[in-house]
Amino acid sequence: MITERMSLYDYMRAYRAKNESGTAMIRGGRKMSFGRLFREIERVAGGLKALGVGRGDVVMLALPTMEQGIVAFYAVSRLGAVASMIHPLMAGGEFLRAVAEQRPKAVFLSDINFNRLGKGLKGVRRVVCPYGVYGYLGLPRPAAFEPYSGDGSEPAVYMRSGGTSGDAKTVVLSAAAVNALTGNLLATLAEENFGEKDRMLVALPMFHGFGLFVGLHTVICIAAPPVLMPVFRAEKAVRAIARHKVTLMIAVPGMINKLLAEPEFRGENVRSLAHVYVGGDTVDAELEDRFDARMREAGTDCVLSPGYGLTETGSVCVLSPRKAGGAVLGKPLVNMRCRIVGEDGRDVPQGETGELLLTGNQLMTGYLGDGEATAAAFTEEGGVKWLKTGDMFRALPDGSLYFMGRKKRLIKISGVNVFPAEIERAAVRLPFVGQCAAIEVRENNKPFIALFVTGKLSDEQKKILKRHIVNELSKWHEPKYIVCVDALPRTQVGKTDYVRLSDEFERCRKEGA
């Protein structure tokens, strides 16, 4: 019986038999077979060994989602080293700080970001992966190496995260935790439903847990080749779905909005889609309805299924095998358990709101070099270690989890808990309201709500919107300000950037806009 307690490479090889002539991955018009994938992993692992990389050493991968990045990821695992996943567009100063913190033996860069990140790098071997052709510049001839043998409990992946407190940190994940995510997810979804017949469109980046561990590791484990999109472009994604008969897709809400705006995202072009899972940001009912309607028009039963996860659990840890709807995100995956607790750390009555705690075999080892933050992220109850997510939920009668919002985004108005996500969900029920985001603003140290709405609203529509929110929720939820914008700012992984919204509000206030 397969166990998660092995390297990422060994788990991928063992989870399901791979036909060496079968397709392992697709990028544009190029395909790589499993036979070639395995040979390339051995070659790159040998090259890294020749560079002095061994068990426990760090190798940085600052690459887009491309063949070389996937090969290198498994090659690092083959040696028992640690793959540090770096945003390829990371600012130079932040990159150098990460290098100083992690002290990598080697760094993989593309020919696109080499001049920006690689030229000033001292004392680190650099391997350059051309974007347009397959290859590794600077990788020496392979040396003999002893493959990693262990129980998978050692650090295997570093990933940057906002942390459960909202502060940037480096999450340390073991191979056992990442493999457990794959096993738990497939057990929850009934793995026999997926296999070689499927194609997964992977446009989420490799430095994103959802993209790396679900879009790549999980689907390669079941021999369902990923269709790689190093840069997401909606019109190209539509062509890729149609060309390769894509059946599976993972996305953030912003990607779905862009796809729906494409005239060609309909009919025969999307009829192959069977499952689309979305996470990373709030999914409102309006987006779900538009997506589902487009799929019905195309003659497919595909629906948008929201889920929930954190980098601290590898990524997804709550999901529904079927459509749950809106803020109902399903139940914990197989082998994961949850509690909802109040400020005193005690379980709240069923149906009341509290912070979600998680336990199970997907939990991170901790935050790199930050024992204090690691200790603060966990609590122990009856000998069980629980991760404090920093997210607020309430449980429905069937045990499904209803997302209320980030604990850090919680707004107290006259002592009443106001969740911005609730305001956003209520707002988009009006036909003239597009994407929106609510934030806290302060005047004379008193909290108020500002609601950013995409598009143009008349003064009368703003009044209607405010009345609607009060009627749907309460007077404490009423925005004092409604700000119309062309588009909501996004982070590098497509989430709503609330920090930039706060900055934008302050700028508008100073300018008297």
Side-chain angles (χ1 to χ4, degrees), residues 435-452:
Q435 292 178 283
C436 59
I439 64 170
E440 177 182 348
V441 297
R442 301 188 80 85
E443 293 178 355
N444 299 319
N445 208 32
K446 187 176 180 181
F448 295 96
I449 298 162
L451 180 64
F452 286 78

Side-chain angles (χ1 to χ4, degrees), residues 53-61 72-73 76-77 79-85 102 104-106 154-159 170-173 368:
V53 175
R55 188 167 180 161
D57 289 328
V58 176
V59 177
M60 283 185 163
L61 306 182
F73 175 73
V76 171
S77 170
L79 296 171
V82 181
S84 175
M85 311 308 296
Q102 299 177 18
K105 283 281 186 73
E154 300 164 54
V157 184
Y158 291 164
M159 301 202 93
T170 297
V171 171
V172 181
L173 293 162
L368 181 65

Side-chain angles (χ1 to χ4, degrees), residues 412-486:
K412 289 268 191 181
I413 306 288
S414 300
V416 175
N417 289 341
V418 173
F419 295 95
E422 284 193 303
I423 298 173
E424 295 156 5
R425 287 194 287 265
V428 297
R429 294 189 189 111
L430 291 177
F432 56 81
V433 176
Q435 292 178 283
C436 59
I439 64 170
E440 177 182 348
V441 297
R442 301 188 80 85
E443 293 178 355
N444 299 319
N445 208 32
K446 187 176 180 181
F448 295 96
I449 298 162
L451 180 64
F452 286 78
V453 179
T454 55
K456 301 294 184 183
L457 269 62
S458 67
D459 289 341
E460 182 60 27
Q461 286 175 321
K462 290 180 180 180
K463 290 178 182 177
I464 293 171
L465 175 55
K466 287 185 177 185
R467 286 199 300 269
H468 170 75
I469 290 170
V470 170
N471 291 336
E472 287 275 315
L473 300 170
S474 76
K475 65 179 182 180
W476 295 284
H477 291 77
E478 180 182 0
K480 181 174 182 179
Y481 302 98
I482 294 178
V483 183
C484 295
V485 293
D486 292 334

Side-chain angles (χ1 to χ4, degrees), residues 29-358:
R30 302 201 301 259
K31 295 182 179 181
M32 180 180 286
S33 69
F34 274 109
R36 187 182 176 200
L37 172 63
F38 301 147
R39 291 192 296 272
E40 287 297 303
I41 291 171
E42 295 298 300
R43 179 169 78 91
V44 173
L48 287 172
K49 182 65 176 179
L51 291 177
V53 175
R55 188 167 180 161
D57 289 328
V58 176
V59 177
M60 283 185 163
L61 306 182
L63 297 171
T65 306
M66 54 197 288
E67 302 96 312
Q68 296 100 310
I70 298 168
V71 169
F73 175 73
Y74 285 117
V76 171
S77 170
R78 195 87 172 103
L79 296 171
V82 181
S84 175
M85 311 308 296
I86 299 293
H87 195 312
L89 300 180
M90 180 181 281
E94 186 180 0
F95 177 68
L96 291 177
R97 287 191 292 274
V99 169
E101 175 193 50
Q102 299 177 18
R103 302 174 65 85
K105 283 281 186 73
V107 175
F108 282 74
L109 301 159
S110 74
D111 51 354
I112 296 171
N113 64 5
F114 176 78
N115 285 341
R116 188 168 50 82
L117 299 181
K119 278 196 167 180
L121 214 51
K122 306 293 184 183
V124 181
R125 298 300 295 266
R126 297 163 296 183
V127 179
V128 181
C129 302
Y131 185 83
V133 295
Y134 184 86
Y136 303 88
L137 306 178
L139 188 71
R141 290 179 176 274
F145 66 91
E146 189 71 28
Y148 167 82
S149 177
D151 64 1
S153 62
E154 300 164 54
V157 184
Y158 291 164
M159 301 202 93
R160 295 292 283 172
S161 166
T164 57
S165 66
D167 300 318
K169 295 177 177 64
T170 297
V171 171
V172 181
L173 293 162
S174 68
V178 174
N179 291 333
L181 184 160
T182 290
N184 295 346
L185 178 61
L186 291 171
T188 301
L189 294 176
E191 65 168 297
E192 64 272 10
N193 294 334
F194 305 99
E196 294 179 5
K197 69 182 186 305
D198 290 298
R199 300 287 185 271
M200 168 75 87
L201 182 69
V202 183
L204 289 177
M206 289 185 65
F207 64 83
H208 191 290
F210 202 17
L212 179 62
F213 302 138
V214 178
L216 297 175
H217 184 55
T218 295
V219 298
I220 293 174
C221 281
I222 59 172
V227 177
L228 310 179
M229 282 199 72
V231 179
F232 177 74
R233 296 284 185 270
E235 69 280 5
K236 291 185 177 181
V238 175
R239 291 200 294 270
I241 292 169
R243 177 180 184 180
H244 300 293
K245 302 300 180 187
V246 167
T247 58
L248 309 172
M249 184 177 174
I250 55 174
V252 294
M255 292 165 58
I256 301 300
N257 267 305
K258 290 179 180 178
L259 286 172
L260 290 171
E262 281 297 313
E264 298 303 313
F265 187 71
R266 62 179 69 249
E268 186 62 32
N269 288 337
V270 300
R271 198 164 292 152
S272 61
L273 288 174
H275 303 278
V276 175
Y277 301 101
V278 63
D281 209 348
T282 303
V283 180
D284 57 61
E286 185 269 343
L287 178 62
E288 284 191 68
D289 291 344
R290 285 194 291 125
F291 181 87
D292 293 351
R294 188 72 61 89
M295 294 299 104
R296 297 298 84 73
E297 291 172 8
T300 173
D301 293 330
C302 180
V303 294
L304 205 60
S305 295
Y308 168 82
L310 309 94
T311 307
E312 287 79 0
T313 59
S315 64
V316 62
C317 55
V318 172
L319 188 71
S320 173
R322 295 163 298 280
K323 182 181 181 67
V328 183
L329 303 182
K331 300 177 183 178
L333 300 183
V334 170
N335 295 316
M336 295 294 290
R337 291 187 292 136
C338 73
R339 296 167 56 204
I340 297 177
V341 302
E343 290 294 330
D344 58 2
R346 297 181 180 178
D347 292 5
V348 301
Q350 193 274 323
E352 291 191 11
T353 298
E355 182 181 3
L356 181 71
L357 306 187
L358 291 163

